[in-house]
Amino acid sequence: MNTILRNVTNNVAHGITITKTKDARVALLRRADVLDRMRLVAAAKPEELFEVLGTSSGGLSEELVEASRERYGNNRITRGKKTSLLKRIADAFINPFTAILIVLAVVSVFTDIILAEPTDVDPMAVIIIVTMVLFSGILRFVQETRSGHAAENLLNMITTTTNVRRLEMGRQEIPLEDVVVGDIVYLAAGDMIPADMRIIRAKDLFVSQSALTGESEPVEKTPRAAYYEQDSEWSASITEIHNLAFMGSDVISGSAVGIIVATGDDTMFGSMAQSVGVRPVQTSFEIGINKVSWLLIRFMLVMVPIVLFVNGFTKGDWMQASLFALSIAVGLTPEMLPMIVTTCLAKGAVAMSRKKTVIKNLNSIQNLGSMDILCTDKTGTLTQDKVVLLYHLNIHGQEDMRVLRHAFLNSYYQTGLKNLMDIAIIQRTQELQESVNELQGLEERFIKLDEIPFDFDRRRMSVVVANGKTQMITKGAVEEMLSVCRFAEYKGKVEPLTDSIRAYILKKVDELNEGGMRVIAVAQKNSPSPVGTFSVRDEAHMVLMGYLAFLDPPKESTADAIRALREHGVDIKVLTGDNDKVACCVCRQVGLSVDHILLGSDLDHMNDEALARTAENVSVFAKLSPQQKARVISVLRESGHSVGYMGDGINDAAAMKASDVGISVDTAVDIAKESADVILLEKDLMVLEQGIIEGRKTYANMIKYIKMTASSNFGNMFSVLAACAFLPFMPMLPIQIILLNLIYDLSCIAIPWDNVDKEFLAIPRKWDASSIGKFMLWIGPTSSVFDITTYVLMYFLICPAVCGGLFHELTDPAMQVLFIALFQAGWFVESMWTQTLVIHMIRTPKIPFIQSRASAPLTLLTFTGIVVLTIVPYTAFGASIGLAALPWVFFPWLALTVLLYMLLVTAFKWVFVRRYGELL
């Protein structure tokens, strides 16, 4: 960018100001490159832009829209190069676990095929390892591809629109991507700026450019043409130009009209996206998964050398010891972990989509499940979001059509973000127009001159209208309106606003608030500033006319939803900008405690430590600014809570970004939807409760696999070390260990579809890697106990009975081979039974098969795996990998071993739960 700017000649830099004729200025605009054109656009007059871009103040025709799209392209950002098929395949297959397997496969190619004697060539180990790699990689590739398509389809359900004027249709809402160069766009508070544009009209327009510049403070934009006096001004940052607004920015307050001058990749945002590859930060969930992965890998890297040296020194055959150590590495490698995690998250996202919940970020499912505090805005979440204007009253509480008339003019003529109260005022007026002469023809009788848009600091908005006389009409929050009023219409006269009248007014408002109504005030004054100079300063010395009372009744399902969330361990806190009386009234109706309430003014006098202590016991926070909402959420998070925030307005965006999981709705303003991690297609807390349950199911099934794998690996360490130290032969051949691991992994792929105990879903679940270590130490060694009893059974009882003596007593090599094959077959079958049944034991703290049953797919796969591997020793394939048929007497002993193993694991589970409070 800087190189381009340095190459700009003085003639181009001063072209707009030096060139006097319109034709010359238009020609200069047409031949400038993109960056220079933006600066020249800022200096051009609107009519010159209309000519260059082939548009007008009335917008583009449909024919010109298509021509513009053909010439300048769609309004879509190419977010870096699309990941190629080869890259996606590589990502699916290359991870620390599969890398280890690939290394083992290469080693096996040399040891079992290339360097082996012709009679000893055995490709089986290579085939099984490659099968494991292909199975894990293909499954992950298919699942992530499906997840990507599902996420893309779900995000397409989220509509983000902008308001444009076109010749045939007038003003209309269209999707952001349909905007083209030359479109006339109307902006209001809460809008996202759809593309780079030149402001041609504006009123108190403040824009946040933090996405582009990193500056959090909003900047004011005005329509006046830029003028470049010096070369340095031409070279100044383009974002500092006061009449240009850029894609990626959003409107904080005010209103404006602009003309689109660049779309898609030609925008400043697009150029940044093309030139800068942004690496997303790791979430706590990703960090936790990586810690577990590397813990298991480090454990394997420690275990393998120990097995190698124990085997090498006790057996003397270092080549065979190396192969056995490598097979142990395969057995200890949790190569299915990436696939299990991906599948759990994707399954959760798809399941939640059926429950009308869109997950923008897969990892946010875990945050939903861990959430223990939900902060929510009041309007539309607790209430029906159908505001009804019940009363239009003078300050004495009597119905007054003048108050409604002035309120209608204010709401009708404002071009900013019309809220539900504006809509209610307009609808109520239109309902009464036929029967009330005073309300007829207001749109034709009054002419709008100007407006001062609403913002969240002033909490009011004004319009200036003329009907023979010029009049400013203002409506807003009662306290803010009293601060700008010097007079009141009291008993039919305009009287000074004395303390006694102020107290009288506040008492009337309190009476309405106590009934659960929201009250705003209406004021007016005649002959404000000259036309064209109206500003916030004119909102002073006004005459208070009366009040408007609105009711937003609670939803019928709200009380039940709050009760359900509490039953699942989620505390509800209401953070609202409304006054405390209305908030308390609604909260009481839905069953929320209002014993303690905190106001925005209270927050200003509290430090974070004091606020954190107080916030724990407060359920209702009222009259909060957007920054105060975000502060409450931040201190709750710092206190160790997992906090969600649900909102739909521009004033909720900061709170959503401050929370662990931001939740919005499809009908929310653009900024709120962009800030959210989760989007509900229905603004209903009951839908959210279902999403929380699904998030906890997802977490439960992931932690099952992780703890199963960790404890199983830890137990296998003791078993293998004991076997290597005391047996005169290897307890299992490398090929047998690899086959056992493959079948076990196949059994685990159904874990994402497993059932979860209702008790586990009842409370929030946070990621805690430290619990895995405790689980390994307690549950892991239980399997080793019965591995060792199986060694003793096979070595001293079963094998001698078949072969005619203990191993060291046998002189016939064939009997020695049979002894080893029987021993290995016994441990092979016992390992599969115990290793697979541990899935059912560990998946629940209850008694498996009786108090808690696994899902049908998991039960089917695990028992199929047991049956298949039990049959293998009796087949030719079993004989080819060194196994022998087991005598029938082995199976009663096996049944006893399995029964005792299940009893021991059940006892250890009970002790573990008593000590640490939970199993998973």
Side-chain angles (χ1 to χ4, degrees), residues 563-579:
R563 209 161 29 245
L565 287 173
R566 281 179 169 166
E567 288 172 0
H568 287 86
V570 181
D571 191 19
I572 307 294
K573 295 185 185 294
V574 175
L575 277 58
T576 179
D578 275 356
N579 71 66

Side-chain angles (χ1 to χ4, degrees), residues 639-658:
S639 299
H641 294 287
S642 181
V643 185
Y645 184 84
M646 182 175 179
D648 64 350
I650 180 176
N651 57 327
D652 295 315
M656 279 191 281
K657 288 181 179 178

Side-chain angles (χ1 to χ4, degrees), residues 307 311 320-328 720 724 730-732 734 737:
V307 172
N311 247 332
Q320 198 67 17
S322 299
L323 292 176
F324 185 73
L326 289 174
S327 65
I328 289 296
V720 171
C724 292
M730 286 189 297
M732 206 180 293
I737 291 176

Side-chain angles (χ1 to χ4, degrees), residues 64 157 204 255 292 311 423 427 494 618 808:
L64 290 175
M157 297 166 66
D204 297 325
S255 59
V292 172
N311 247 332
I423 295 169
Q427 287 177 344
V494 176
V618 174
H808 66 274

Side-chain angles (χ1 to χ4, degrees), residues 38 42 187 193 195-210 212-213 215 217-226 237-258 268 453:
M38 289 300 293
L187 299 176
I193 293 171
D196 289 358
M197 60 190 295
R198 160 70 192 277
I199 304 298
I200 56 178
R201 292 201 304 275
K203 181 66 177 178
D204 297 325
L205 179 66
F206 283 84
V207 171
S208 171
Q209 298 183 154
S210 58
L212 300 175
T213 64
E215 294 293 332
E217 288 297 317
V219 295
E220 186 173 12
K221 297 292 183 178
T222 61
R224 62 183 176 83
S237 172
I238 196 169
T239 58
E240 295 176 6
I241 299 176
H242 57 79
N243 61 6
L244 296 180
F246 303 94
M247 175 189 277
S249 307
D250 44 73
V251 180
I252 300 300
S253 63
S255 59
V257 180
M268 182 179 177

Side-chain angles (χ1 to χ4, degrees), residues 458-475:
R458 291 167 36 249
R459 298 177 69 200
R460 60 181 179 267
M461 71 85 52
S462 300
V463 297
V464 181
V465 296
N467 179 21
K469 63 179 180 179
T470 304
Q471 189 177 38
M472 174 178 279
I473 304 170
T474 304
K475 75 175 190 305

Side-chain angles (χ1 to χ4, degrees), residues 483-505:
S483 69
V484 298
C485 288
R486 182 170 288 186
F487 306 96
E489 294 184 358
Y490 186 73
K491 294 183 178 179
K493 298 180 181 179
V494 176
E495 300 282 356
L497 186 60
T498 62
D499 289 343
S500 61
I501 294 178
R502 181 187 296 269
Y504 176 83
I505 291 168

Side-chain angles (χ1 to χ4, degrees), residues 303 307 310 324 328 715-725 731 791 827:
M303 177 66 183
V307 172
V310 170
F324 185 73
I328 289 296
N716 287 341
M717 177 187 71
F718 293 106
S719 304
V720 171
L721 284 177
C724 292
Y791 295 164
W827 192 35

